[in-house]
Structure formats: C-alpha cells, structure tokens
Amino acid sequence: MKDIQFIASASHTDKPKKGMRNILIIIVFCILLMLVSRLFFAGRVHEADVYYRGIKMRGEVGWPANLFSIGYWGIVSFPLFYIYIRFKQDLRLPAIGVTNDGIFINAVLLRKAFIPWDNIEHVELRGHSSNPTIRIFFKDINLLLKGQFFILKSISKATLKTDPSVGISNDDAVGNLISIFDIIKEKGILVNDKMEGRDKIK
C-alpha cells in the first residue's frame, strides 16, 4: 500500500482527530468524576438491598455512589469508542485516491480498501459544487471487504448489503472531489453527474 501511485487524492479532514480528542476529554472527566465522588463517600453512601430488573442484590446507595458508577462505565466504554475511531481509517493515507488501476478508499466504512475498476458499477457526483459528494457503487461487496479487519468488516457488510455504495464528501475528505470524479470519468467508468452548480456531464 505504501507504493501505490495516486493520480489524484484527497486527504482526511480533522474530524477523526477531533473525535478522538473529545473522547480523551470525556475519559479524563470520568476519571475526575470517580475521584471526586469518592471523597464524599463517607457519611453519604451506605449498603442496601437494591432491585435490578426484578433481581435482588446488595449495592451501595447514595449520590456519590451514583456518580462513581457513571464515571466507571464511562471509563469502560469510551476507550472502546476511541480505539474504534483510531483504527477505523489509516489517517496517514488519503481518504480517497485514484490510480491507473482503480480507486483507493480509506474513509467512511472502509479502511485502506483498493477497488479495481472492474468491481465498480458506476460513480455519481451529487450535491452542490460548493460541497460535492462522490458516491461509488460496487458490484461485489465481498471482494470489496476482503482484507478488512473482522470487526470493521462486519459493520461495513451489514450496511453495504442493503446499499452497496459509499459516499465521500467534504466532511470526510479535503481535496478537489470534482477533479477526482472527472478523472474517474476519463477512465471509462459509467458515471452520473447529479451535481448542481455546473453543467451536467453528458
């Protein structure tokens, strides 16, 4: 993948980095919430029998215990979101790129996926010229998902099964998506220009 030669490409926006930063802030907040709530346990928290979905169990009762529990579950769950965002795409590589042999997609539902021209059904350009979206339709999603991480593969397959296409917009990629679309058209791929703001491609 390092030796791939792009004719044109668009890099990632800062949205994934912002997402990871925000999750780290939430994780730090959860840690502080647990530490602070622990300071108020004395005299405010006691053990009692509680019922959860009809099951009787012994637990700690009081607002500091409730806050501690919220912080605990935040620390358990948000790192998983961080890992998912961190490995969903390889941010060192472009979000989308065109080569002589096909299209490289490293955004939305796919991580470092290379789609040869013969597995592309057609490509559409949608939206307005100020904010275009390239939507790529695939012939065989099984070939498309070959080599994807098993967790990402399961998530992507469930979505692509009903709609075998991926849309990439300015929210996902920084670059000239219209120029990328024009290059795809030059490669002889069936295209459909639905974009507003410029003459339609015949």
Side-chain angles (χ1 to χ4, degrees), residues 13 15-16 131 168-173:
T13 63
K15 187 167 67 171
N131 187 23
I168 299 172
S169 69
N170 286 340
D171 291 333
D172 309 301

Side-chain angles (χ1 to χ4, degrees), residues 18-32 78 82:
K18 283 183 178 179
M20 290 188 290
R21 182 195 63 194
N22 292 339
I23 289 176
L24 286 175
I25 291 172
I26 293 173
I27 291 172
V28 171
F29 175 77
C30 289
I31 292 171
L32 291 175
F78 281 106
Y82 179 87

